[in-house]
Amino acid sequence: MLRPVVIEVGDGVGRVTGRLLRPDGATALYVLAHGAGAGMHHPFLEGIAEALAERGVATLRYQFPYMEARRKTPDPPVRLQRTVRAAVAKGRELEPELPLVAGGKSLGGRMTSSAQAEAPLSAVRGLVFLGFPLHAPKRPSEQRAAHLAAVKIPMLFLQGTRDDLADLGLLTPIVERLGATMHVAEDGDHSFKVRKRSGRTADDVLADLAEAITQWVQGLG
Protein backbone atom coordinates (compact mmCIF):
# COMPACT_ATOMS: atom_id res chain seq x y z
CA MET A 1 0.00 0.00 0.00
CA LEU A 2 1.34 3.45 -0.98
CA ARG A 3 0.46 6.35 1.27
CA PRO A 4 1.55 10.00 1.49
CA VAL A 5 3.47 11.10 4.57
CA VAL A 6 4.26 14.50 6.06
CA ILE A 7 7.57 14.81 7.92
CA GLU A 8 8.09 17.68 10.36
CA VAL A 9 11.75 18.70 10.23
CA GLY A 10 11.49 21.75 12.49
CA ASP A 11 14.26 24.23 13.38
CA GLY A 12 13.15 26.67 10.72
CA VAL A 13 13.04 24.04 7.97
CA GLY A 14 9.33 23.31 8.20
CA ARG A 15 7.97 20.12 6.71
CA VAL A 16 8.69 17.84 3.77
CA THR A 17 6.62 15.16 2.11
CA GLY A 18 7.27 11.47 1.73
CA ARG A 19 5.79 8.24 0.40
CA LEU A 20 5.49 5.07 2.44
CA LEU A 21 5.21 1.87 0.38
CA ARG A 22 4.40 -1.00 2.72
CA PRO A 23 3.66 -4.46 1.34
CA ASP A 24 1.57 -6.95 3.26
CA GLY A 25 3.79 -8.96 5.57
CA ALA A 26 6.65 -6.45 5.44
CA THR A 27 9.80 -7.63 7.18
CA ALA A 28 11.83 -4.38 7.29
CA LEU A 29 11.67 -0.66 6.48
CA TYR A 30 14.24 1.20 4.37
CA VAL A 31 14.20 4.99 4.86
CA LEU A 32 15.34 6.11 1.43
CA ALA A 33 16.70 9.55 0.48
CA HIS A 34 17.01 10.84 -3.08
CA GLY A 35 20.08 12.04 -4.96
CA ALA A 36 21.16 15.61 -5.64
CA GLY A 37 19.45 16.18 -8.98
CA ALA A 38 16.13 14.33 -8.72
CA GLY A 39 13.54 13.87 -5.98
CA MET A 40 11.69 10.92 -4.54
CA HIS A 41 9.51 10.58 -7.65
CA HIS A 42 12.44 9.74 -9.92
CA PRO A 43 11.70 6.52 -11.86
CA PHE A 44 14.76 4.79 -10.39
CA LEU A 45 13.63 5.39 -6.79
CA GLU A 46 10.07 4.42 -7.59
CA GLY A 47 11.36 1.30 -9.31
CA ILE A 48 13.62 0.20 -6.47
CA ALA A 49 10.80 0.82 -3.98
CA GLU A 50 8.45 -1.38 -5.98
CA ALA A 51 11.08 -4.10 -6.44
CA LEU A 52 11.76 -4.11 -2.69
CA ALA A 53 8.04 -4.25 -1.91
CA GLU A 54 7.80 -7.39 -4.04
CA ARG A 55 10.39 -8.90 -1.70
CA GLY A 56 8.73 -7.79 1.54
CA VAL A 57 10.78 -4.66 2.28
CA ALA A 58 8.86 -1.45 2.92
CA THR A 59 10.31 1.92 1.94
CA LEU A 60 9.83 5.47 3.13
CA ARG A 61 10.99 7.86 0.39
CA TYR A 62 11.14 11.54 1.21
CA GLN A 63 12.11 14.95 -0.15
CA PHE A 64 14.91 17.19 1.03
CA PRO A 65 13.76 20.80 1.65
CA TYR A 66 15.37 22.23 -1.50
CA MET A 67 13.66 19.64 -3.68
CA GLU A 68 10.34 20.22 -1.91
CA ALA A 69 10.71 23.92 -2.74
CA ARG A 70 11.70 23.07 -6.34
CA ARG A 71 15.12 24.61 -6.00
CA LYS A 72 18.10 23.18 -7.88
CA THR A 73 20.82 23.81 -5.30
CA PRO A 74 20.98 21.35 -2.39
CA ASP A 75 20.56 22.65 1.14
CA PRO A 76 23.60 22.95 3.44
CA PRO A 77 24.68 19.60 4.91
CA VAL A 78 23.40 20.44 8.39
CA ARG A 79 19.88 20.93 7.00
CA LEU A 80 20.06 17.77 4.91
CA GLN A 81 21.21 15.76 7.90
CA ARG A 82 18.44 17.23 10.05
CA THR A 83 15.96 16.08 7.42
CA VAL A 84 17.46 12.59 7.47
CA ARG A 85 16.94 12.42 11.23
CA ALA A 86 13.36 13.60 10.93
CA ALA A 87 12.62 11.02 8.23
CA VAL A 88 14.14 8.21 10.28
CA ALA A 89 12.09 9.28 13.31
CA LYS A 90 8.96 9.31 11.13
CA GLY A 91 9.74 5.84 9.86
CA ARG A 92 10.06 4.55 13.41
CA GLU A 93 6.79 6.25 14.34
CA LEU A 94 4.93 4.75 11.37
CA GLU A 95 6.37 1.24 11.60
CA PRO A 96 7.64 0.67 15.16
CA GLU A 97 7.69 -3.11 14.79
CA LEU A 98 9.83 -3.29 11.64
CA PRO A 99 13.64 -3.48 11.64
CA LEU A 100 14.91 -0.19 10.27
CA VAL A 101 17.68 0.61 7.79
CA ALA A 102 18.44 3.96 6.18
CA GLY A 103 20.42 5.44 3.32
CA GLY A 104 19.69 6.45 -0.22
CA LYS A 105 20.84 7.36 -3.68
CA SER A 106 24.14 9.24 -4.01
CA LEU A 107 23.84 12.49 -1.99
CA GLY A 108 21.00 11.01 0.06
CA GLY A 109 23.15 8.09 1.13
CA ARG A 110 26.12 10.30 1.97
CA MET A 111 23.99 12.64 4.07
CA THR A 112 22.56 9.64 5.91
CA SER A 113 26.02 8.28 6.73
CA SER A 114 27.19 11.77 7.72
CA ALA A 115 24.28 12.07 10.14
CA GLN A 116 25.01 8.61 11.55
CA ALA A 117 28.69 9.52 11.98
CA GLU A 118 27.75 12.66 13.95
CA ALA A 119 25.36 10.82 16.27
CA PRO A 120 23.63 7.43 15.84
CA LEU A 121 20.28 7.50 14.08
CA SER A 122 17.72 6.10 16.49
CA ALA A 123 16.93 2.40 15.97
CA VAL A 124 18.74 2.19 12.60
CA ARG A 125 20.42 -1.20 12.23
CA GLY A 126 22.34 -0.58 9.00
CA LEU A 127 22.98 1.80 6.13
CA VAL A 128 22.32 1.06 2.46
CA PHE A 129 23.97 3.18 -0.25
CA LEU A 130 22.70 3.19 -3.82
CA GLY A 131 25.77 4.59 -5.55
CA PHE A 132 27.91 6.19 -2.83
CA PRO A 133 29.39 9.41 -4.32
CA LEU A 134 33.01 8.93 -3.29
CA HIS A 135 34.30 11.87 -5.33
CA ALA A 136 33.39 14.41 -8.02
CA PRO A 137 32.92 13.00 -11.54
CA LYS A 138 36.16 11.51 -12.82
CA ARG A 139 38.18 13.17 -10.04
CA PRO A 140 39.25 10.25 -7.82
CA SER A 141 39.58 11.07 -4.12
CA GLU A 142 38.85 9.41 -0.78
CA GLN A 143 37.93 12.60 1.09
CA ARG A 144 34.17 11.99 1.11
CA ALA A 145 34.71 8.65 2.82
CA ALA A 146 36.61 10.05 5.81
CA HIS A 147 33.52 10.17 8.05
CA LEU A 148 32.62 6.53 7.43
CA ALA A 149 35.14 5.35 10.03
CA ALA A 150 32.85 6.86 12.66
CA VAL A 151 29.88 4.75 11.50
CA LYS A 152 29.62 1.75 13.83
CA ILE A 153 26.72 -0.14 12.24
CA PRO A 154 26.77 -2.43 9.16
CA MET A 155 26.89 -0.80 5.74
CA LEU A 156 25.97 -2.05 2.26
CA PHE A 157 27.42 -0.32 -0.81
CA LEU A 158 25.69 -0.99 -4.13
CA GLN A 159 27.91 0.36 -6.91
CA GLY A 160 28.06 0.26 -10.69
CA THR A 161 31.31 -0.69 -12.40
CA ARG A 162 31.07 2.43 -14.64
CA ASP A 163 30.27 4.90 -11.85
CA ASP A 164 32.19 8.13 -12.54
CA LEU A 165 31.63 9.21 -8.94
CA ALA A 166 33.14 6.12 -7.35
CA ASP A 167 36.38 4.64 -8.61
CA LEU A 168 36.07 1.03 -7.46
CA GLY A 169 39.85 0.84 -7.20
CA LEU A 170 39.55 3.37 -4.37
CA LEU A 171 36.21 2.36 -2.90
CA THR A 172 36.80 -1.38 -2.65
CA PRO A 173 39.69 -1.17 -0.13
CA ILE A 174 37.75 1.43 1.86
CA VAL A 175 34.80 -0.94 2.12
CA GLU A 176 37.13 -3.75 3.14
CA ARG A 177 38.78 -1.63 5.86
CA LEU A 178 35.36 -0.71 7.23
CA GLY A 179 34.27 -4.35 7.33
CA ALA A 180 31.30 -3.35 5.17
CA THR A 181 29.67 -5.15 2.24
CA MET A 182 29.73 -4.26 -1.44
CA HIS A 183 27.44 -5.46 -4.21
CA VAL A 184 28.63 -4.62 -7.72
CA ALA A 185 26.24 -3.93 -10.58
CA GLU A 186 28.13 -4.94 -13.71
CA ASP A 187 28.20 -2.23 -16.39
CA GLY A 188 26.12 0.13 -14.27
CA ASP A 189 26.89 3.84 -14.22
CA HIS A 190 26.16 6.19 -11.31
CA SER A 191 22.44 5.92 -12.10
CA PHE A 192 22.75 2.14 -12.53
CA LYS A 193 22.04 2.43 -16.24
CA VAL A 194 23.56 -0.36 -18.32
CA ARG A 195 24.41 -0.47 -22.00
CA LYS A 196 22.48 -2.70 -24.41
CA ARG A 197 25.56 -4.76 -25.04
CA SER A 198 25.55 -5.81 -21.38
CA GLY A 199 22.59 -8.07 -22.15
CA ARG A 200 20.70 -6.70 -19.13
CA THR A 201 17.64 -4.47 -18.90
CA ALA A 202 16.76 -1.76 -16.40
CA ASP A 203 14.33 -4.19 -14.78
CA ASP A 204 17.09 -6.78 -14.47
CA VAL A 205 19.25 -4.25 -12.64
CA LEU A 206 16.45 -3.21 -10.29
CA ALA A 207 15.73 -6.84 -9.46
CA ASP A 208 19.42 -7.51 -8.80
CA LEU A 209 19.76 -4.49 -6.51
CA ALA A 210 16.53 -5.22 -4.65
CA GLU A 211 17.52 -8.85 -4.11
CA ALA A 212 20.93 -7.83 -2.78
CA ILE A 213 19.37 -5.34 -0.37
CA THR A 214 16.75 -7.83 0.81
CA GLN A 215 19.27 -10.59 1.45
CA TRP A 216 21.58 -8.20 3.31
CA VAL A 217 18.79 -6.78 5.47
CA GLN A 218 17.61 -10.27 6.36
CA GLY A 219 21.16 -11.09 7.39
CA LEU A 220 21.10 -8.32 9.99
CA GLY A 221 18.79 -10.47 12.10
Side-chain angles (χ1 to χ4, degrees):
M1 180 178 69
L2 181 67
R3 57 178 284 199
V5 173
V6 174
I7 300 167
E8 297 287 350
V9 181
D11 293 327
V13 178
R15 61 180 59 179
V16 297
T17 55
R19 293 291 186 275
L20 175 68
L21 181 57
R22 190 194 195 285
D24 292 338
T27 58
L29 173 64
Y30 179 18
V31 180
L32 175 58
H34 60 76
M40 66 178 179
H41 299 295
H42 189 275
F44 174 80
L45 288 188
E46 291 185 342
I48 196 68
E50 291 167 0
L52 286 167
E54 292 172 1
R55 292 162 175 79
V57 176
T59 53
L60 173 58
R61 290 174 285 137
Y62 61 97
Q63 301 280 65
F64 283 123
Y66 76 96
M67 191 63 67
E68 190 84 324
R70 299 184 180 180
R71 298 192 303 268
K72 292 183 178 180
T73 304
D75 303 292
V78 64
R79 177 171 287 195
L80 297 175
Q81 292 170 28
R82 190 176 298 147
T83 307
V84 169
R85 292 190 183 281
V88 167
K90 189 66 175 183
R92 175 53 52 207
E93 174 191 328
L94 292 171
E95 299 293 344
E97 303 302 320
L98 292 182
L100 184 65
V101 297
K105 180 74 184 76
S106 194
L107 173 74
R110 184 163 70 93
M111 289 301 102
T112 303
S113 60
S114 296
Q116 175 68 28
E118 287 288 333
L121 296 164
S122 180
V124 171
R125 298 189 182 188
L127 302 183
V128 178
F129 306 111
L130 288 160
F132 187 85
L134 182 61
H135 49 72
K138 298 182 180 180
R139 297 176 60 186
S141 168
E142 297 185 11
Q143 184 176 357
R144 291 181 181 174
H147 70 280
L148 294 174
V151 175
K152 304 303 181 184
I153 57 176
M155 292 179 278
L156 172 63
F157 293 76
L158 300 110
Q159 304 288 151
T161 57
R162 294 189 300 114
D163 190 339
D164 287 340
L165 278 69
D167 183 327
L168 291 187
L170 292 178
L171 185 58
T172 299
I174 291 171
V175 171
E176 291 174 351
R177 288 198 301 269
L178 293 169
T181 303
M182 182 184 289
H183 179 81
V184 174
E186 291 295 336
D187 201 58
D189 64 10
H190 189 62
S191 298
F192 293 99
K193 292 180 181 178
V194 293
R195 295 168 291 192
K196 286 185 178 180
R197 70 188 190 194
S198 72
R200 306 172 78 200
T201 67
D203 287 343
D204 292 335
V205 175
L206 285 173
D208 175 59
L209 296 174
E211 188 64 27
I213 293 169
T214 302
Q215 294 292 330
W216 186 82
V217 170
Q218 290 176 346
L220 294 177

